[in-house]
Amino acid sequence: EAQVTQNPRYLITVTGKKLTVTCSQNMNHEYMSWYRQDPGLGLRQIYYSMNVEVTDKGDVPEGYKVSRKEKRNFPLILESPSPNQTSLYFCASSRAGTSGGRQFFGPGTRLTVL
Amino acid sequence: GEDVEQSLFLSVREGDSSVINCTYTDSSSTYLYWYKQEPGAGLQLLTYIFSNMDMKQDQRLTVLLNKKDKHLSLRIADTQTGDSAIYFCAETRGNFNKFYFGSGTKLNVKP
């Protein structure tokens, strides 16, 4: 089954404790992206990647890091999480050259930073 | 999302048409999209329109684009209870890889 998986689905952590949210897709997609969803703000793009070792900033990259060492994986790293990073996070993937519009979204990771 | 605006709620009766509206401010928008989010799930692409088009129809869905007024709408004909969800409009601008989403419109369909 074609899908985007994220782990963990729920995470409660404390300020300053480094964490990684994993994202994996099995569709051989070139394009992957991370978003955060906050009430009243919709989705905001954090980082995206056009292919292995090619990443770029989205609208709200501060406080986040990403890496793309393999085509299927695109982890999101919070080196020193803060309470304002409490949010619902989505990973998405798509084929390149489709304007990225036909993105497949993961189920989301709900992160709480105390 | 601050440059893409949507009303927060819409309530309709089953069988009626729903019209969800969106305004955007960047005239360099290239593609405009409508996504659907059901409770506890990620987003699902419903349809999209290129900025040089005025209208696109896909079964029960009709997208209208007024580029002069920077207004995008999604009409759902014969709305069903299964259409209850949050609907997001989104745009990509000059860079096809950066996306900007509205805050979402929660559609409630009453039986």
Side-chain angles (χ1 to χ4, degrees):
Chain A
E1 180 191 353
Q3 59 182 350
V4 178
T5 56
Q6 297 179 225
N7 282 293
R9 293 289 313 279
Y10 302 91
L11 179 60
I12 300 174
T13 188
V14 295
T15 300
K17 186 176 181 183
K18 181 179 178 180
L19 66 93
T20 300
V21 184
T22 64
C23 172
S24 184
Q25 49 93 4
N26 62 1
M27 296 167 279
N28 202 34
H29 284 165
E30 293 83 8
Y31 180 92
M32 297 185 75
S33 185
W34 275 104
Y35 298 88
R36 59 177 290 174
Q37 183 178 14
D38 301 291
L41 295 177
L43 273 76
R44 291 179 292 169
Q45 192 172 29
I46 303 171
Y47 269 96
Y48 63 93
S49 170
M50 290 298 297
N51 214 324
V52 175
E53 303 290 5
V54 181
T55 63
D56 207 348
K57 296 177 181 178
D59 214 23
V60 288
E62 295 79 18
Y64 304 94
K65 285 175 58 178
V66 292
S67 69
R68 188 90 183 273
K69 292 182 168 48
E70 303 165 284
K71 198 172 186 180
R72 64 182 293 125
N73 296 322
F74 190 43
L76 180 69
I77 302 155
L78 284 72
E79 294 268 4
S80 182
S82 62
N84 64 13
Q85 293 178 297
T86 292
S87 188
L88 179 59
Y89 290 86
F90 288 102
C91 179
S93 74
S94 71
R95 291 187 307 160
T98 61
S99 82
R102 190 164 291 277
Q103 295 184 79
F104 289 80
F105 279 80
T109 295
R110 188 167 289 281
L111 172 65
T112 301
V113 183
L114 302 174
Chain B
E2 64 189 67
D3 293 338
V4 182
E5 294 186 354
Q6 302 177 238
S7 54
L8 290 180
F9 299 102
L10 177 65
S11 185
V12 301
R13 292 216 170 270
E14 192 173 19
D16 288 349
S17 292
S18 307
V19 179
I20 303 171
N21 295 302
C22 171
T23 58
Y24 60 98
T25 58
D26 196 315
S27 57
S28 69
S29 294
T30 48
Y31 285 92
L32 296 123
Y33 308 88
W34 284 104
Y35 284 86
K36 177 183 180 182
Q37 185 181 33
E38 296 182 0
L43 274 69
Q44 171 193 355
L45 178 67
L46 286 177
T47 187
Y48 65 94
I49 189 168
F50 190 51
S51 57
N52 67 354
M53 297 169 65
D54 298 323
M55 186 184 92
K56 182 177 181 180
Q57 188 155 2
D58 184 1
Q59 299 181 333
R60 291 192 298 125
L61 305 178
T62 303
V63 178
L64 294 177
L65 176 61
N66 181 330
K67 204 171 179 186
K68 175 176 167 290
D69 295 337
K70 298 187 180 69
H71 183 264
L72 180 74
S73 67
L74 173 70
R75 179 177 179 270
I76 305 173
D78 187 24
T79 313
Q80 303 298 306
T81 54
D83 294 324
S84 292
I86 301 176
Y87 291 80
F88 291 93
C89 67
E91 59 173 340
T92 51
R93 297 173 188 166
N95 178 337
F96 288 167
N97 304 304
K98 294 185 78 169
F99 283 78
Y100 299 87
F101 283 80
S103 54
T105 299
K106 187 170 185 177
L107 175 64
N108 179 41
V109 183
K110 294 179 279 191

